Amino acid sequence: MASRGSAATKVATRLRSSFLSGLKTQTACASRIESDGGLRRPGHAVAATRSRRSETWAAAALLLFAPQLSSWATSPPPSFSLSPNRKLAWSPVPPVQSLRCASMSAAAHRPPHYSMKLNPARPLGLRSDVLIASRQLPGRISQLHTSAKRHLQLSAPLRSTASATELTRESVEKLDLTSNLPRHEKLVCGVLDNGFRYCIFPNQKPEGRFYMNLEVHAGSVDEEDHQQGLAHFLEHSVFLGTEKYPSQQDMKKLFRRLGMAFNADANAFTDFRSTVYTFSAPTTGKASHVESAANLFGAGGIATGPIHDSPAEEEISEEEELEEEEGQDNTQLVLDLLHQMTFKALIRQKDVDLERGAILSELRDRNSISQRVAMSYYKFQHGDTVLPKRFPIGLEDQVEKFSSEDLFAFYDKHYHASNMCLYVVGDVDSESVVKSIQQIFGDEPKKPRAELAVPDDRPHPDPTEPVLWPMRGAVIEHTLDKKPEKRIEIVEDFQINEFGVSFCQKEGAQGTRSVGDLRESLIDSIIGMAIEFRVHARRVSSEDPLFNGIGWSYSSSPREGCSMNSFSVSCQPKNWKEALKIGLQEAARLAEYGVTATELMEATTMLNNHYAQQAAQKDAMASSGWMKRIMSSVQAGDQVLSPELKSQVLKELSSGLTEEEVSLRAKVLFKPVTQFLHPESQTTAFVTKPANSDTEADTTAPDFSEAEMLRIIEEGLSNPLPPDSTVIPKELIPAEELRALEAKLKPSVESREADDASQVVRLSLSNGVRVAYRHNTNRPNEVRIRLQAFGGRALETAETQGLAVAASATWVNGGGGGGLPD
């Protein structure tokens, strides 16, 4: 899933947990940073439904309101709501119910957004991705998106533009927020005549190796009620034999020929909306060692190939192994194998029966507290969708009965060319790989093999531009902009050992495609870093922090088809009142007072340094990392940017940010928390806690009840205090003072030793400090320093027990500068 924030651990802080006991949503405060359009934009419009008729209605409404929209695009009113002119020749039931301004500050350098609500009495078809170019509509409207089932979102640029322009390096200093972000120049993308998609990225880290993932846009959401677990079962079954490789033993011969192994270099995972087959192999010849990729790509899904060898298979003798052809292009072999698995699988009943035991064992192993909490969370947060009833692992009573006929029915319906996307990353030649893809997959028909299945015939505006590709796979419809029937869910269990609460509001998902998208995501990341700075300050200033974690995230997930704005608090159960109050105080004061000048400066400096470093190390990223980045970006509709351009754009964008603008955005983002007690609030609270125990008071949440929690929430949100005004010096010690100390102490290098083999240089300084350093050209413009003091807990006595740990924590968190010896 495209969860926002893998790089934030490097930029701002630690990963956090949103829930307890295994429901670990690892999101970081600078949460939009690394999904690679850049920082993931918290979109407010999920592409869910439309019909051609609704496009006509929208256009007609825009024509009706053209004069107002023209003026609003440059000077939008504080707010408004209009009803359509019923004198027009609508049908007896007007299609447009209201039109509302959603963004109210032209000075904020963000395009105004307009929300159009369609009349629920008018039927709509199930289509997606509405896009009407600005030249087709009056009022400078540049985009029109569907949101939920009967809402439309309109975006108007701040300055008039006939159409979105491409951003180039030369135009970075003259940024237009409507400019499209350009695709990485090395990324080659395309669509075959039969709808088969591909993305290829040449990369020589490591040399002589490639990764190849084939995504089938069919997962557990595509199952019927009686098919729960079928997509995952099919994922296992295609490994058990194909027309060219009739048995698992035949496949193993090929794997051994390539130096590959099941569950390491050959794997797969099934998720809500897709099934992905992952392979890694040497580009030519045979690998000298297995390079595992088992856990690279299965985040959130059920990640397994066949867990055990088929009992009917015997070990392969050396005589049976496939002969290696000198100079053989292994990309063709793996492409052919993927083609066999996804189009020519045998799926015999005997293989299905043999594999069933492994799948049932996997299903039973997942019956854990973390799985149960996760299922409770999905039922509560996504009960308006099919997600809670479609966990990829399936239901045991159904898995026990699946037949090869059942599997073939799903295979023939969903495994077809226009429902697939291939990703190739590594030491490959793009042009050669494209020819091989055309040769191997090009002859497959677009139409599914199943008679009643319908192919995806939607056109690709630009086959080479993934951000313009129509979304494929099942559409997960969410009920947005509506107060949930139940707003608080409490999960108790004796196996839960921590108290946690997560305040969430569900919103639509949208990719990062334009400069404006990237700018808004930058602002959101700064806000996330500000809350993390404050939480960290509270932690280190307290002898016994009353909370384990306080965090905010805005994660957009293609796997769930929505974005989630969440604020979470976790603590020891006995401290639940104090910790919840502290967390809400921080949320309230950030919403009320915004960020400080110091926080803005510190966050933008950290972000710019991080991306400048990434740009300098652009050739150092491993192919496995690029694979994850490209896949998550394409799935989420984010543009894949080059590190150099990304750094340039973010530096330019950050230079124009103000405290006022960032603070206004913080008020919007934290409104779901600060307005939780409002009668019409759409925010929910998901609570996990240990079950009450009469014997272990410290392990339970004393006096907890829903009414008491609401009282603590009200108290925590009341009368927030202004943030501390901290000034961070530009230097720890003035340069002149440092030079004076240098002249007085006369530091020198007493000895120097260089080891040619390791390239390590060892120094002995005049004060007794020993230094070892080594140049590393793989990570330019980066210096890593580790200080090690001799001693530690082994030198503690009974009286000084714990002193080493306390001293270490003081050293790390106590700041620096001043107090230097004479």
Side-chain angles (χ1 to χ4, degrees):
M1 112 183 167
S3 176
R4 304 170 184 178
S6 61
T9 53
K10 302 175 184 177
V11 179
T13 56
R14 310 159 301 282
L15 293 172
R16 342 183 254 279
S17 301
S18 294
F19 317 114
L20 304 175
S21 298
L23 186 60
K24 302 296 185 183
T25 305
Q26 292 188 336
T27 53
C29 69
S31 56
R32 259 141 299 292
I33 293 176
E34 200 61 33
S35 73
D36 208 327
L39 298 64
R40 276 289 300 284
R41 178 174 188 262
H44 55 267
V46 60
T49 59
R50 77 161 170 92
S51 67
R52 294 190 182 278
R53 189 182 307 171
S54 67
E55 276 189 43
T56 306
W57 297 339
L62 291 169
L63 287 168
L64 173 63
F65 300 132
Q68 294 94 327
L69 288 173
S70 296
S71 61
W72 298 338
T74 54
S75 180
S79 63
F80 64 87
S81 181
L82 298 174
S83 298
N85 187 342
R86 293 173 183 260
K87 294 181 180 179
L88 290 182
W90 303 108
S91 65
V93 183
V96 180
Q97 198 170 70
S98 65
L99 186 65
R100 181 178 296 274
C101 177
S103 177
M104 296 165 279
S105 174
H109 302 290
R110 290 181 57 237
H113 294 275
Y114 306 97
S115 176
M116 179 183 296
K117 186 174 182 181
L118 301 183
N119 195 318
R122 294 291 293 260
L124 291 175
L126 296 180
R127 297 291 299 276
S128 64
D129 291 328
V130 177
L131 177 62
I132 300 180
S134 58
R135 62 181 178 273
Q136 296 176 276
L137 297 174
R140 303 178 186 174
I141 300 300
S142 63
Q143 290 185 331
L144 175 63
H145 311 277
T146 59
S147 174
K149 193 169 183 177
R150 300 189 179 275
H151 287 72
L152 300 175
Q153 299 287 345
L154 293 75
S155 302
L158 288 173
R159 44 181 169 267
S160 179
T161 176
S163 61
T165 58
E166 283 297 322
L167 178 69
T168 64
R169 285 177 171 79
E170 292 73 21
S171 64
V172 166
E173 294 183 359
K174 301 177 181 179
L175 290 177
D176 183 341
L177 296 182
T178 62
S179 296
N180 294 327
L181 293 167
R183 186 179 71 255
H184 196 301
E185 60 271 14
K186 288 172 59 178
L187 182 61
V188 177
C189 305
V191 183
L192 302 185
D193 291 342
N194 59 10
F196 187 89
R197 297 169 172 175
Y198 59 84
C199 297
I200 306 166
F201 188 85
N203 188 58
Q204 293 185 317
K205 292 289 183 178
E207 293 183 358
R209 194 168 189 88
F210 69 93
Y211 292 84
M212 190 176 292
N213 290 3
L214 179 58
E215 179 179 20
V216 182
H217 299 287
S220 57
V221 170
D222 296 276
E223 299 165 349
E224 302 294 338
D225 287 342
H226 63 284
Q227 296 178 322
Q228 295 181 56
L230 194 63
H232 176 228
F233 205 134
L234 177 60
E235 170 222 301
H236 279 247
S237 299
V238 299
F239 280 94
L240 302 179
T242 70
E243 290 181 4
K244 185 178 288 188
Y245 307 100
S247 67
Q248 189 180 102
Q249 186 179 23
D250 294 313
M251 283 194 180
K252 288 171 68 177
K253 291 178 186 177
L254 176 61
F255 291 146
R256 290 188 60 163
R257 145 79 177 80
L258 296 172
M260 297 170 61
F262 270 133
N263 293 334
D265 300 302
N267 211 316
F269 64 89
T270 303
D271 211 338
F272 289 125
R273 299 182 62 252
S274 63
T275 303
V276 181
Y277 298 92
T278 70
F279 290 84
S280 174
T283 308
T284 59
K286 182 175 181 179
S288 58
H289 64 281
V290 172
E291 188 164 319
S292 176
N295 297 314
L296 286 178
F297 312 111
I302 304 299
T304 51
I307 298 178
H308 308 291
D309 289 343
S310 171
E313 305 294 350
E314 300 176 356
E315 286 299 316
I316 303 170
S317 66
E318 293 185 6
E319 292 77 11
E320 292 178 303
E321 289 193 19
L322 294 178
E323 293 185 5
E324 179 181 342
E325 297 181 21
E326 186 176 354
Q328 171 69 50
D329 183 356
N330 291 337
T331 61
Q332 288 189 334
L333 287 175
V334 178
L335 282 170
D336 182 64
L337 176 59
L338 281 169
H339 175 260
Q340 284 285 310
M341 293 170 62
T342 53
F343 288 95
K344 308 293 183 182
L346 298 178
I347 316 179
R348 294 161 297 209
Q349 185 62 47
K350 65 173 184 176
D351 295 327
V352 171
D353 293 336
L354 288 171
E355 191 66 19
R356 195 188 314 274
I359 296 174
L360 288 171
S361 176
E362 182 183 354
L363 190 152
R364 291 160 186 158
D365 288 344
R366 290 178 178 271
N367 185 18
S368 62
I369 180 60
S370 60
Q371 178 81 349
R372 294 195 294 274
V373 172
M375 294 182 74
S376 297
Y377 171 79
Y378 271 87
K379 288 178 182 177
F380 176 59
Q381 296 290 9
H382 300 296
D384 57 330
T385 73
V386 73
L387 293 176
K389 301 177 182 178
R390 293 295 185 271
F391 267 59
I393 195 64
L395 298 179
E396 183 174 347
D397 60 336
Q398 295 191 23
V399 172
E400 288 176 339
K401 300 175 184 177
F402 289 148
S403 66
S404 62
E405 185 178 348
D406 298 325
L407 294 169
F408 258 124
F410 194 88
Y411 187 68
D412 289 345
K413 181 177 181 180
H414 297 288
Y415 280 53
H416 55 91
S418 62
N419 205 35
M420 297 179 182
C421 186
L422 178 73
Y423 300 86
V424 183
V425 179
D427 194 359
V428 298
D429 176 72
S430 299
E431 185 176 347
S432 175
V433 174
V434 170
K435 291 179 180 178
S436 296
I437 293 171
Q438 177 66 56
Q439 178 184 357
I440 294 172
F441 289 94
D443 291 336
E444 291 297 337
K446 176 185 292 188
K447 187 180 185 303
R449 293 177 293 274
E451 292 184 4
L452 299 180
V454 179
D456 190 340
D457 288 325
R458 286 176 296 171
H460 292 72
D462 182 353
T464 67
E465 191 57 82
V467 294
L468 298 179
W469 289 351
M471 184 185 72
R472 283 188 176 161
V475 174
I476 302 173
E477 294 190 40
H478 295 267
T479 302
L480 305 177
D481 303 323
K482 181 181 179 181
K483 180 180 177 181
E485 295 181 3
K486 184 178 183 181
R487 296 189 55 227
I488 299 177
E489 175 74 4
I490 302 169
V491 177
E492 298 179 294
D493 195 284
F494 288 107
Q495 290 182 272
I496 297 176
N497 54 25
E498 197 178 45
F499 176 91
V501 57
S502 184
F503 299 92
C504 300
Q505 181 164 306
K506 190 159 55 172
E507 301 178 20
Q510 185 174 332
T512 302
R513 304 180 181 184
S514 70
V515 176
D517 297 339
L518 189 63
R519 189 175 190 278
E520 186 171 86
S521 297
L522 170 63
I523 294 173
D524 293 355
S525 292
I526 291 170
I527 293 167
M529 294 174 77
I531 190 75
E532 197 72 21
F533 295 157
R534 298 179 185 186
V535 170
H536 180 69
R538 276 187 178 264
R539 187 188 302 279
V540 300
S541 64
S542 173
E543 293 183 2
D544 182 20
L546 296 171
F547 57 87
N548 293 345
I550 297 172
W552 169 80
S553 71
Y554 199 125
S555 58
S556 182
S557 172
R559 70 188 297 260
E560 282 97 5
C562 67
S563 295
M564 193 67 77
N565 186 350
S566 63
F567 182 80
S568 58
V569 178
S570 63
C571 62
Q572 292 300 312
K574 63 180 180 180
N575 298 328
W576 77 270
K577 293 183 182 180
E578 295 85 353
L580 180 57
K581 191 182 300 182
I582 290 171
L584 292 172
Q585 287 170 350
E586 289 299 340
R589 72 172 180 163
L590 187 59
E592 179 70 20
Y593 299 102
V595 301
T596 66
T598 298
E599 288 169 338
L600 177 59
M601 181 271 293
E602 187 176 358
T604 54
T605 299
M606 292 174 69
L607 286 169
N608 283 326
N609 288 343
H610 172 75
Y611 286 106
Q613 178 181 314
Q614 279 203 343
Q617 298 172 2
K618 65 182 186 302
D619 297 324
M621 180 179 286
S623 294
S624 58
W626 275 114
M627 175 64 85
K628 292 179 67 176
R629 178 177 294 188
I630 292 168
M631 279 196 69
S632 63
S633 296
V634 173
Q635 290 169 341
D638 294 339
Q639 184 59 280
V640 181
L641 288 171
S642 70
E644 309 100 302
L645 186 62
K646 185 175 179 179
S647 176
Q648 292 177 43
V649 174
L650 289 174
K651 184 176 182 179
E652 185 68 22
L653 290 173
S654 64
S655 66
L657 297 179
T658 65
E659 295 170 57
E660 293 75 18
E661 179 182 3
V662 177
S663 297
L664 283 172
R665 178 66 176 163
K667 185 182 290 290
V668 172
L669 291 175
F670 280 83
K671 184 178 179 180
V673 181
T674 59
Q675 298 295 311
F676 179 79
L677 297 177
H678 191 281
E680 298 304 315
S681 172
Q682 299 170 25
T683 308
T684 60
F686 184 76
V687 180
T688 53
K689 59 181 288 291
N692 290 328
S693 170
D694 296 331
T695 59
E696 300 181 55
D698 286 349
T699 64
T700 60
D703 303 325
F704 179 84
S705 67
E706 185 173 319
E708 180 67 4
M709 186 180 81
L710 292 173
R711 187 186 72 79
I712 295 298
I713 292 174
E714 182 177 16
E715 191 173 329
L717 294 174
S718 300
N719 304 316
L721 298 174
D724 297 330
S725 181
T726 303
V727 178
I728 300 177
K730 294 183 178 180
E731 52 191 13
L732 295 179
I733 181 172
E736 59 274 12
E737 185 177 339
L738 185 62
R739 286 192 293 270
L741 283 170
E742 185 178 359
K744 182 178 182 179
L745 299 175
K746 295 180 175 59
S748 63
V749 176
E750 297 294 317
S751 65
R752 182 183 187 278
E753 297 179 8
D755 183 77
D756 293 336
S758 63
Q759 299 181 7
V760 173
V761 177
R762 294 180 175 85
L763 307 176
S764 179
L765 306 185
S766 56
N767 60 358
V769 173
R770 290 178 291 178
V771 178
Y773 70 89
R774 181 183 185 276
H775 289 289
N776 181 5
T777 56
N778 287 331
R779 302 183 71 86
N781 294 347
E782 175 180 301
V783 176
R784 295 193 179 191
I785 300 175
R786 179 178 181 180
L787 301 178
Q788 181 174 339
F790 291 101
R793 302 200 64 177
L795 299 181
E796 293 177 347
T797 64
E799 291 76 20
T800 62
Q801 186 174 359
L803 191 60
V805 174
S808 176
T810 303
W811 188 19
V812 171
N813 297 313
L820 295 175
D822 293 333

